[in-house]
Amino acid sequence: MQKFKNLSKETRIKLIILAVLIFLIGPGLYNKLKVVNYALKSDKIINPVRIALVTDLHSCKYGDNQQELIDAIDAQNPDVILLGGDIFDEKLGNENTIAFLDGIYDRYPIYYVTGNHEFWGGVDMYYEDMAILETYNITRLEGDLVHLDINGNNITLVGVDDYDGYLVDSDIILENQFVDAYLSLDADSYNIILSHRPELFDTYEAQDYDLALCGHAHGGQWRIPGILNGLYAPNQGLFPPYAGGLYEEDGTTMIVSRGLARESTLVPRLYNRPELVIIDIT
Ligand SMILES: [Fe+2]
């Protein structure tokens, strides 16, 4: 203490500011995986349904052979797993993504849509990623509509590509995917759209989806609990309106996963733990 008093006033102030910053920021850097649960109600659902939403893995590592993430999913025992894009990463390589798919592919129905990062690595990497999905027999949705037979419910799942798809494949025209799927929807079915992009909420709402499931925003990277739900998200900018969480408008619910990106980003997450999203619909 005497040593501290012997320091100049300027140095003492700097040390105090540093200590306060460490005290405030330190706990916010804790980035262990957490499970985030949402409970929804619908007249269209007669028996409970549990969905696991996995987004923005970016080939990050969750324990040996991805066991931490796989165990978290198994503990929730979902009826279906939806992979909402950016599961691969053009910079980190595919080792962790492959380990994850290897750990789940034969035990759950799994559906996948692309994120922007599946396209950002160029044509060769894109086809390599899609070949991996085929190896694991995972269904990719590209404007397709599938009827999910879950616990006797009438559920329709639509999945659309990320709108950066045109970068590698001129056949990927997102607008056409939306229109084709929309024209085939049945209003009596519980209609879910799986799409990487939360900034398209107006489209999901205009097309009367009951539920839209998205990622991409990474929770806005930095959060201040109770004050700020995300500082910045790609394609939404500063103070993003759809950084993560549940949003509702005119009968459409959108759930935005804060995703699983961890070591793939230069700027660390702050008060924004990576998340596995579990949705119960009753
Ligand atoms: Fe993304």
Side-chain angles (χ1 to χ4, degrees), residues 152-204:
N153 296 292
N154 182 13
I155 297 174
T156 300
L157 174 67
V158 167
V160 293
D161 273 307
D162 187 86
Y163 57 65
D164 278 352
Y166 72 91
L167 291 171
V168 301
D169 187 345
S170 58
D171 287 344
I172 297 177
I173 302 170
L174 187 61
E175 204 177 315
N176 291 354
Q177 293 189 5
F178 274 123
V179 172
D180 289 349
Y182 177 64
L183 292 175
S184 306
L185 286 179
D186 168 7
D188 294 330
S189 178
Y190 187 84
N191 292 316
I192 303 173
I193 184 163
L194 177 64
S195 169
H196 189 57
R197 301 280 185 155
E199 65 266 29
L200 301 180
F201 185 34
D202 287 351
T203 302
Y204 314 140

Side-chain angles (χ1 to χ4, degrees), residues 56 58 86 115-117 196 216 218:
D56 306 279
H58 284 276
D86 287 1
N116 48 307
H117 280 265
H196 189 57
H216 186 56
H218 296 198

Side-chain angles (χ1 to χ4, degrees), residues 15-29 271:
L15 284 172
I16 289 168
I17 290 171
L18 185 66
V20 169
L21 283 176
I22 290 170
F23 179 75
L24 289 176
I25 292 173
L29 295 173
Y271 291 108

